[in-house]
Amino acid sequence: MNNDLSQYKDLYFKTAHEYANGLNSGMESLGPNSTPEKFAELHRFAHSLKSQSTVMQFNNIAELAGTLEQLFDQLQKGEQRLTPDMQAEINESINT
């Protein structure tokens, strides 16, 4: 079986860029009254980015996206509250 993923890199970069843009726009629209649905949307972007990055063996991106996925899941369920410091850290990690 051939595991050469190079033929998929262009597609990966295109969709990863879309997911990162979705995360950025979603983070910009968050506020003190953000709904669970908003966090669910961010969770989906992070999950998709994590999955694709894992397949492509971009492990650092997959790890970061996985951490964001877990955090957005906790925020969606009300297990965590989004603080301004947390929001700043998420924004910084997405834009790095």
Side-chain angles (χ1 to χ4, degrees):
M1 182 171 162
N2 185 356
N3 286 330
D4 180 18
L5 299 172
S6 62
Q7 63 184 336
Y8 301 109
K9 279 189 179 179
D10 287 340
L11 178 61
Y12 168 81
F13 288 125
K14 180 179 185 256
T15 56
H17 184 73
E18 291 170 6
Y19 296 138
N21 283 342
L23 286 167
N24 275 321
S25 343
M27 289 301 298
E28 288 173 2
S29 69
L30 288 180
N33 298 319
S34 295
T35 63
E37 291 78 20
K38 178 50 93 176
F39 293 122
E41 177 184 40
L42 290 165
H43 176 271
R44 282 189 298 277
F45 286 128
H47 173 79
S48 297
L49 181 58
K50 177 196 76 173
S51 299
Q52 284 190 339
S53 298
T54 299
V55 169
M56 293 300 293
Q57 300 172 359
F58 296 135
N59 298 326
N60 290 340
I61 297 170
E63 185 177 336
L64 172 61
T67 300
L68 291 172
E69 176 187 24
Q70 291 173 352
L71 177 61
F72 293 134
D73 185 55
Q74 292 171 348
L75 290 165
Q76 178 187 3
K77 293 176 180 175
E79 297 170 357
Q80 287 258 14
R81 280 188 49 86
L82 184 67
T83 65
D85 287 343
M86 185 187 301
Q87 190 166 0
E89 285 186 42
I90 293 169
N91 286 329
E92 184 178 328
S93 68
I94 292 170
N95 293 311
T96 300

